[in-house]
Amino acid sequence: MRIANVDGRASIIVDDSAYVDIAEQSSGRFGPDPRSVLEDWAAFREWSENAELGAGRPLDPALLRAPVDEPRQVFAIGMNYLDHADEIGSEPPQSPSVFTKYLSCLSGPYEPIRLIDGSCDWEVEVVAVVGRHAYQVPAERGWDHVAGLTVGQDISERSRQTAGPMPQFSLAKSFPTFGPIGPWLVAADDLPDRDRLTLGCSVNGEIVQSGSTADLVFSIPELISRLSHTLPLMPGDLIFTGTPAGVGAGRSPQRFLQPGDVVESWVGGIGRMRNVCVAEAGAAAAPVVAAGHEPVR
């Protein structure tokens, strides 16, 4: 099952070109707010599996928004692939390296990425969406608390990320449009091999990242467990689970996004996003981050 945010309303995608409005179809029992569907995920799943959805109405991809646009919490995990840790010269973490992306950075699967003055980089990620309250959950029950998965980009401005005496990961990764997700949420139970999903990213048609969640240092259920042993996770919370090798800051010479670049991001069994980079009004030329700076994540 694929759940989308179509112009602000929770919807079920019935094929690649049609959708059903959940609030209308359920006579107001669920929706229309996208996060509200996750508040009683078990009941919604039971309803959706027995509902007669019909053919739906034509889907205009331009109306797709972030599948969850108002989460309470957004977590992100740094250096969660061994090859990414290696490309930036860092030792693999012994425990998850956690930061946040602020709510205002979230955007849709086809919205422009508004570049700012600096060195803006790409990071394709699988994003887990919490569907059930989780606190002190053991790893073997981690998947029980995941509603579904979606595709994400953790766009990162590297010079601000490493400026000052302490890294500023959260701020440098939270400018408006720096967190596109989509095109929809796919229920985790519907993915036949949810622990081994392929993911990738291209810039202007050139594949720059390719990986598999089988190579995560900390798997999705392990992340659920680790995070929930510090604080409660709530329905609709997002977890950006990390990026594989191939980011621009890890290249020699380094490469960063420019206005006009087209960033495509995909996860096997879930879908694909396409975001065009545009210049923010008044933006200046992007400086290059010096090699050997504080590790990127």
Side-chain angles (χ1 to χ4, degrees), residues 73-80 96-101 123 125 154 169-170 173 223 227 238-242 297:
Q73 304 178 109
V74 182
F75 304 93
I77 311 299
M79 296 180 294
N80 203 24
S97 178
V98 183
F99 55 95
T100 63
K101 285 177 74 74
E123 293 191 6
E125 312 208 5
D154 177 22
F169 294 108
S170 296
K173 293 166 173 278
L223 291 174
L227 290 170
L238 304 180
I239 305 172
F240 284 71
T241 59
R297 297 190 181 188

Side-chain angles (χ1 to χ4, degrees), residues 126 149 151 186 191 193 196-200 266-272:
V126 173
L149 305 175
V151 186
V186 175
L191 293 164
D193 201 355
R196 192 177 296 270
L197 300 172
T198 58
L199 70 161
W266 61 88
V267 176
I270 297 177
R272 177 181 294 258

Side-chain angles (χ1 to χ4, degrees), residues 203-223:
V203 178
N204 300 330
E206 175 192 350
I207 295 178
V208 291
Q209 289 184 281
S210 181
S212 168
T213 58
D215 298 323
L216 285 168
V217 178
F218 301 100
S219 68
I220 290 172
E222 180 69 18
L223 291 174

Side-chain angles (χ1 to χ4, degrees), residues 110-182:
Y110 303 114
E111 293 183 48
I113 295 169
R114 299 203 304 271
L115 302 179
I116 62 165
D117 174 17
S119 304
C120 299
D121 205 347
W122 58 83
E123 293 191 6
V124 65
E125 312 208 5
V126 173
V127 179
V129 181
V130 176
R132 179 181 168 194
H133 184 276
Y135 187 58
Q136 299 185 345
V137 172
E140 58 268 23
R141 289 179 45 218
W143 276 119
D144 295 343
H145 298 266
V146 177
L149 305 175
T150 191
V151 186
Q153 266 288 342
D154 177 22
I155 302 297
S156 308
E157 200 292 293
R158 300 302 190 190
S159 56
R160 288 170 176 81
Q161 179 179 326
T162 55
M166 295 293 292
Q168 296 282 353
F169 294 108
S170 296
L171 289 178
K173 293 166 173 278
S174 292
F175 289 89
T177 74
F178 273 30
I181 59 173

